[in-house]
């Protein structure tokens, strides 16, 4: 691995580049909205009104749901979404909305601006975190600038997927360096940013079990910190259910289910089913190749999941 000063300099450069890329994409998304903008068809009632360009970006996607949480951190007004179950489903990912609430100092008019800045910052963070994992594997960190390209939707809608990825990547880095407590904390925040990050945490647990000594006690002790994200997420789901009066797991409009179900349903409904299936098969081939080349690498396991 490169020397520490050299590594730090390259990661800073990658972060700056990621910041610029994120700024260009976010700025383009804002500029593409007409001014004055239309009301559109938001599912959060807070945005059923004439909108400025920033609010219009939020209202055209799931950014509006996180904005609703940023303006109601105590979850007292689930009625801003027509169905309580839908509000609960989105409230199971509190980190993004709470971060915006804190940085906006509780001012609703500042929420859209804060989300725009957070989205740009999360792009830089994802590039740096991805670069860190690449350098660890003797690969140039500049390849991590491909991350924003595959995350255009989250950059255009101000949603938290890039932040969740950055947190998971940092957690992987610390876990491999035996900083288990710090990694567990970061994994907890990642799970509260996007619950699908628990899949990655579970895979890290399986990888750790495969690398640990033969005794059952040593195996259990090695993965015990990785139980924390699941406990924290489950606890938050209970809090949401009590506060909102509906479970995030009970009304997800088919979003939560067994792996592969969503793909099958998407293929049935999509006019581009052949193209989707082709990309899926390509991803399977790449994962299979990664397993053959580096089956003992935890990143191979996580990417495969």
């Amino acid at each position: 691995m490169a020397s520490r000063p050299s590594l730090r300099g390259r990661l800073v450069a990658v972060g700056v580049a990621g910041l610029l890329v994120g700024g260009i994409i976010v700025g383009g998304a804002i500029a593409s909205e007409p001014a004055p903008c239309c009301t559109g068809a938001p599912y959060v009632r807070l945005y059923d009104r004439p909108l400025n360009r920033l609010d219009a970006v939020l209202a055209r996607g799931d950014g509006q749901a996180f904005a609703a949480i940023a303006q109601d951190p105590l979850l007292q007004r689930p009625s801003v979404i027509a169905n309580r179950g839908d509000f609960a489903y989105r409230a199971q990912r509190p980190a993004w909305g709470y971060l915006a609430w804190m940085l906006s100092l509780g001012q609703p008019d500042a929420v859209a601006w804060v989300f725009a800045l957070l989205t740009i910052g999360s792009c830089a963070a994802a590039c740096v975190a991805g670069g860190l994992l690449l350098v660890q594997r003797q690969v140039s960190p500049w390849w991590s600038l491909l991350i924003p390209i595959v995350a255009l939707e989250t950059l255009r809608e101000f949603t938290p997927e890039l932040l969740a990825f950055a947190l998971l990547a940092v957690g992987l880095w610390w876990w491999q360096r035996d900083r288990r407590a710090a990694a567990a904390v970061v994994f907890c925040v990642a799970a509260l940013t996007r619950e699908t990050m628990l899949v990655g945490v579970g895979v890290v647990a399986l990888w750790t079990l495969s690398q640990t000594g033969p005794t059952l006690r040593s195996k259990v002790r090695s993965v015990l910190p990785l139980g924390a994200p699941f406990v924290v997420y489950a606890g938050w789901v209970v809090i949401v259910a009590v506060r909102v009066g509906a479970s995030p797991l009970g009304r997800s409009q088919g979003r939560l289910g067994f792996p592969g179900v969503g793909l099958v349903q998407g293929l049935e409904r999509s006019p581009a089913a052949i193209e989707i299936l082709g990309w899926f098969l390509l991803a399977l081939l790449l994962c299979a190749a990664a397993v053959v080349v580096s089956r003992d690498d935890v990143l191979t396991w996580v990417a495969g999941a």
Side-chain angles (χ1 to χ4, degrees):
M1 187 177 295
S3 65
R4 188 172 297 273
S6 173
L7 171 60
R8 185 181 296 112
R10 286 195 292 167
L11 290 177
V12 168
V14 167
V16 171
L19 202 67
L20 291 174
V21 172
I24 291 170
I25 296 173
V26 169
I30 297 170
S32 68
E33 295 292 340
C37 189
C38 51
T39 56
Y43 59 80
V44 175
R45 294 193 176 104
L46 296 173
Y47 294 96
D48 189 13
R49 55 177 172 77
L51 304 172
N52 61 37
R53 284 177 168 176
L54 269 171
D55 287 335
V57 174
L58 286 174
R60 71 184 179 189
D62 282 340
Q64 60 188 300
F66 297 105
I69 295 170
Q71 297 174 59
D72 179 26
L74 296 180
L75 309 181
Q76 294 177 318
R77 300 188 300 273
S79 59
V80 297
I81 296 180
N83 185 283
R84 284 178 177 264
D86 291 338
F87 183 91
Y89 173 77
R90 290 167 173 85
Q92 71 178 319
R93 306 164 181 168
W96 190 243
Y98 279 20
L99 187 57
W101 167 69
M102 289 187 291
L103 294 178
S104 67
L105 302 179
Q107 302 300 312
D109 292 340
V111 165
W113 280 105
V114 169
F115 272 128
L117 295 175
L118 281 175
T119 300
I120 296 171
S122 68
C123 181
C127 290
V128 171
L132 197 62
L133 294 180
L134 290 174
V135 168
Q136 189 180 28
R137 288 155 181 81
Q138 307 299 315
V139 178
S140 171
W142 290 101
W143 285 107
S144 68
L145 291 178
L146 292 175
I147 293 172
I149 296 176
V150 299
L152 285 176
E153 185 176 1
T154 186
L155 287 168
R156 290 171 175 168
E157 296 186 358
F158 302 172
T159 51
E161 286 76 13
L162 282 173
L163 176 61
F165 168 81
L167 291 167
L168 183 66
V170 170
L172 282 174
W173 168 262
W174 278 342
W175 187 262
Q176 288 187 280
R177 296 170 71 87
D178 289 326
R179 298 181 62 180
R180 300 298 169 91
V185 171
V186 173
F187 285 146
C188 288
V189 180
L192 294 178
T193 304
R194 180 82 183 187
E195 75 284 351
T196 49
M197 296 301 103
L198 290 173
V199 175
V201 177
V203 171
V204 173
L206 292 175
W207 174 83
T208 303
L209 288 173
S210 73
Q211 303 294 314
T212 310
T215 66
L216 178 61
R217 183 176 181 180
S218 63
K219 288 181 179 294
V220 171
R221 289 183 62 183
S222 68
V223 299
L224 198 58
L226 294 176
F230 294 91
V231 173
V232 168
Y233 172 71
W236 177 251
V237 166
V238 171
I239 292 173
V240 170
V242 171
R243 294 292 297 170
V244 177
S247 170
L249 309 179
R251 175 85 177 186
S252 60
Q253 297 180 343
R255 298 179 186 89
L256 297 177
F258 292 104
V261 173
L263 174 65
V264 173
Q265 293 175 344
L267 290 174
E268 292 174 348
R269 295 192 298 263
S270 175
I274 299 299
E275 182 180 352
I276 294 174
L277 184 60
W279 282 109
F280 174 71
L281 293 176
L282 177 60
L284 284 181
L285 288 174
L286 291 174
C287 290
V291 169
V292 171
V293 173
S294 185
R295 69 176 62 189
D296 292 330
D297 189 344
V298 62
L299 194 57
T300 300
W301 289 48
V302 173

